């Protein structure tokens, strides 16, 4: 059985600097498992259709929720895959269950307490699954954060409701998982800049609701293509075509859509934490 080694990146945020990553062994995964992920990703993914069934939710609110989860992921030093899985769980739950506003209305920043509770609980579930090897057990710190944020939230009931709604199927293939596999298979260890920039682009896609029209593997490949162009490489390679099973012509439209969305939604924080933002904006005008 062919195997590849995946790695766990433990991020440490510095002041106004890029995330620094320490590479630690995570697990071994077979190419047959990669094929299995590809076979189920369509049925386990969410399409951008559920918003019409959520009368109290907008694309702006969803983007705010994802941004808040990203801040918590950095604050508690969670794995990048934890954030991707949390957003995936949140979308799948919102596609199945309608969330109402809190009564009396409770707003934290610009986000209703009920929506925030659901989002942070999804992050907690994802962290329990992916961060359990870390000695400081970040998911337990998330519990303290949730209870401090919403003392009478019924956090355990929310967790149970999410798990039941998702039929306890939470270990799903996300764009972060595909990105890590594809990078490990097809990118040389010396191409650290490609990996870093691909993760930055991928994280920028999480809050964009309409990008749910693409499969997780397509978003991962689109992020890699953009990162390769940013670093002066050709758009695609034979290894990428072989392992991802996508050719350049299939991924270029995905990359254009990502650039179109990301270049118009880059925040000041994004500009401070990455030096590729001007290049992304130029790519959008030329790709």
């Amino acid at each position: 059985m062919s195997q590849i080694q995946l790695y766990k990146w433990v991020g440490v945020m510095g002041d106004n600097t890029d995330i620094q990553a320490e590479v630690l062994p995570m697990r071994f995964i077979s190419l047959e498992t990669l094929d299995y992920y590809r076979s189920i990703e369509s049925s386990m993914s969410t399409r951008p259709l559920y918003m019409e069934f959520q009368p109290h939710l907008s694309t702006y609110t969803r983007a705010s929720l994802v941004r808040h989860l990203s801040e918590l992921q950095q604050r508690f030093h969670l794995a990048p895959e934890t954030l991707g899985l949390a957003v995936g769980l949140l979308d799948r739950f919102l596609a199945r269950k309608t969330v109402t506003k809190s009564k009396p209305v409770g707003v934290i920043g610009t986000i209703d307490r009920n929506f925030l509770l659901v989002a942070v609980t999804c992050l907690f579930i994802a962290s329990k699954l992916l961060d359990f090897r870390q000695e400081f057990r970040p998911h337990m710190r998330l519990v303290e954060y949730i209870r401090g944020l919403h003392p009478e939230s019924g956090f355990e009931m929310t967790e149970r409701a999410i798990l039941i709604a998702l039929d306890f199927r939470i270990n799903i293939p996300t764009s972060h998982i595909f990105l890590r596999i594809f990078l490990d298979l097809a990118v040389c260890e010396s191409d650290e800049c490609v990996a870093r920039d691909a993760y930055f682009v991928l994280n920028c896609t999480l809050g964009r609701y309409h990008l749910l029209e693409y499969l997780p593997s397509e978003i991962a490949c689109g992020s890699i293509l953009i990162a390769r162009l940013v670093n002066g490489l050709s758009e695609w390679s034979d290894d990428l075509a072989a392992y991802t099973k996508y050719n350049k012509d299939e991924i270029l439209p995905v990359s254009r859509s990502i650039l179109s969305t990301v270049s118009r939604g880059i925040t000041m924080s994004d500009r401070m934490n990455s030096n590729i933002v001007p290049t992304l904006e130029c790519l959008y005008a030329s790709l």
Side-chain angles (χ1 to χ4, degrees), residues 99-171:
V99 178
T100 59
K101 286 186 176 182
S102 55
K103 296 181 180 180
V105 176
V107 178
I108 300 175
T110 59
I111 309 174
D112 180 81
R113 284 179 180 270
N114 281 354
F115 282 102
L116 190 58
L117 175 62
V118 170
V120 178
T121 304
C122 286
L123 185 65
F124 169 73
I125 294 171
S127 182
K128 281 204 297 186
L129 183 66
L130 298 178
D131 293 302
F132 68 93
R133 288 181 176 84
Q134 297 191 32
E135 293 182 1
F136 56 88
R137 298 173 65 83
H139 59 275
M140 296 309 299
R141 296 171 64 192
L142 274 173
V143 173
E144 296 174 4
Y145 171 81
I146 295 170
R147 287 176 173 158
L149 185 74
H150 206 328
E152 300 177 359
S153 63
F155 158 65
E156 291 81 1
M157 294 179 60
T158 302
E159 180 186 12
R160 188 179 303 114
I162 292 172
L163 292 173
I164 292 174
L166 301 183
D167 300 321
F168 291 88
R169 301 183 69 183
I170 58 174
N171 192 10

Side-chain angles (χ1 to χ4, degrees), residues 215-268:
L215 294 172
S217 60
E218 293 176 321
I219 293 293
C221 288
S223 300
I224 293 174
L225 188 149
I226 293 170
R228 287 176 62 86
L229 291 177
V230 166
N231 287 277
L233 302 175
S234 62
E235 294 131 321
W236 216 231
S237 68
D238 292 338
D239 283 346
L240 281 168
Y243 289 120
T244 67
K245 299 182 180 178
Y246 291 117
N247 60 48
K248 180 185 73 174
D249 292 336
E250 291 175 305
I251 296 304
L252 271 174
V254 183
S255 296
R256 291 192 187 101
S257 186
I258 291 174
L259 282 173
S260 172
T261 303
V262 169
S263 62
R264 288 184 281 111
I266 290 174
T267 65
M268 184 58 66

Side-chain angles (χ1 to χ4, degrees), residues 56-80:
H56 305 295
L57 182 68
S58 65
T59 56
Y60 174 81
T61 302
R62 179 187 177 276
S64 297
L65 287 170
V66 173
R67 187 160 50 249
H68 186 73
L69 293 184
S70 178
E71 292 169 356
L72 291 178
Q73 182 254 332
Q74 295 174 10
R75 174 177 171 182
F76 294 113
H77 309 308
L78 308 180

